[in-house]
Amino acid sequence: MEILGTGVIESFEFNHIHREIKFAFALQRTDNKVKELHYVNIGKISGFMWVNGSGVERYIPPDYSYVELTAFHINENPVERIRITHVDSNLSMEWCEGYELTPNIVVEIGNQILFVEADEIEINGETKKITFDKNQ
């Protein structure tokens, strides 16, 4: 499966009911100046987390007039895990501590990042199952 380069995102859609994320982006090739449109559908999502920048910058609403796909990674052997924990031990938030995410797809959009744990991805009509040890 071809891993695509960076480009301008033309459309982006979250579908919670069907557990999928779809986006299309235009890739401008420098050699022949041809604009190619690519389609990505991330399916069978078990979890995702969107982070809007870092530091205090994450509180500033992004300008979506130009949305760049900066990086796109598929990792079939993820070693990172995102786990919900509470910072203040005086608060009773134990109910959410069992939730976690082992992202095997990471999408960087400008200065934002999307972590996704999913079982399959489709790029330009080619579907790939993403298998990894979920018992780590």
Side-chain angles (χ1 to χ4, degrees):
M1 173 169 285
E2 178 186 5
I3 304 301
L4 307 166
T6 62
V8 177
I9 294 179
E10 304 270 324
S11 65
F12 200 96
E13 174 186 336
F14 282 99
N15 188 325
H16 290 283
I17 294 171
H18 292 104
R19 296 175 36 212
E20 65 184 10
I21 297 171
K22 295 180 181 182
F23 62 95
F25 69 95
L27 181 62
Q28 186 80 37
R29 298 283 185 192
T30 56
D31 52 353
N32 59 8
K33 306 275 192 269
V34 175
K35 180 179 173 180
E36 300 171 351
L37 195 58
H38 298 277
Y39 298 94
V40 177
N41 183 5
I42 304 171
K44 298 184 181 176
I45 295 172
S46 52
F48 68 91
M49 181 179 131
W50 184 286
V51 181
N52 184 37
S54 61
V56 295
E57 189 180 289
R58 71 181 186 272
Y59 300 113
I60 302 168
D63 175 16
Y64 286 115
S65 61
Y66 174 80
V67 183
E68 181 181 1
L69 176 65
T70 310
F72 185 86
H73 302 280
I74 299 172
N75 186 356
E76 294 193 50
N77 298 303
V79 294
E80 298 85 7
R81 181 169 286 154
I82 299 169
R83 194 170 277 164
I84 305 296
T85 59
H86 60 278
V87 178
D88 188 344
S89 60
N90 295 323
L91 296 175
S92 178
M93 297 290 287
E94 292 89 17
W95 61 269
C96 67
E97 285 200 3
Y99 294 93
E100 62 184 32
L101 174 69
T102 306
N104 55 352
I105 299 171
V106 179
V107 183
E108 187 179 359
I109 301 168
N111 66 342
Q112 303 165 56
I113 195 162
L114 173 63
F115 298 98
V116 182
E117 180 179 327
D119 286 338
E120 69 181 26
I121 187 165
E122 178 184 322
I123 299 177
N124 296 328
E126 183 183 345
T127 302
K128 176 181 174 75
K129 299 282 185 202
I130 307 171
T131 57
F132 65 97
D133 183 7
K134 296 177 175 78
N135 297 315
Q136 302 181 52

